[in-house]
Amino acid sequence: MREEPRLRVAAFRPDDERLAAAVELLESLGADPVPDPMLAVEPADATPRTDADYVVLTSKTGVELAAEAGWSPNGATVCAIGDATAASLREAGYTVDVVPEEFSSTGLVERLEDEVAGARVEVARSDHGSAVLTDGLEAAGAYVHETILYRLVRPEGSGESAALAANGELDAALFTSSLTVRHFLAAAADQGIRTEVIEGLQAATVGAIGEPTKETAENAGISVDVVPERADFETLACEVVEGAAPTYHD
């Protein structure tokens, strides 16, 4: 009797505890994870400014780098873009004052736009942060300064999942940012299979965190099937696995 097939699901988290947690989660959901890191961190040796009225942190990585550098908010209102970032801030000993209902740049702008006119707002994040946040805060009347805490690069050797997709052997893919989409396609291009990868994903279930990630994927020709209302990896993985159909792999 043939065994029931298991979903083969690609996860593009950075190669640290986040990827390990993604693998564990997918296995608990009955899927076969394909861990394929598409992001690696290069610290920029910078710290958030200490003279701002508001400071915005957008990732766990940014919080860790700021804390390692001994950054102090000096009485500023500390804003986290979502629960994961807020949890990292609290673990590092910081007080979190603002977390938007919608965990996104748009959600944070909507949360702050009525109170930041004339205020100095420090946005501390990676070199690939969305302009939605800075432009939105400036439109609300804030004086915005951006500090690049780290750069996000594509790790050497990435792209196992691209080869699987090109061969029709990938059942689902979990894109967590526009950059994971771009790096995934760059890995495919390096292997000379970009067109085949996009075609192969047509038969897969593709999930994306947030509308900007979905837009990036669809502009590249990748159809997106799942965009969860809650912008976190666990929700994305659960919804994609629930909605995907496994195929038989030799």
Side-chain angles (χ1 to χ4, degrees), residues 12 38 161-162 165 175 179-188 197 201:
F12 307 121
M38 288 294 161
S161 60
F175 293 108
L179 195 56
T180 59
V181 177
R182 296 189 188 104
H183 283 182
F184 172 79
L185 292 175
V197 165
L201 286 180

Side-chain angles (χ1 to χ4, degrees), residues 98-119:
V98 174
V99 182
E101 289 187 12
E102 178 187 324
F103 300 163
S104 67
S105 294
T106 299
L108 192 52
V109 169
E110 290 176 351
R111 170 62 180 80
L112 294 175
E113 61 186 350
D114 292 334
E115 61 184 82
V116 295

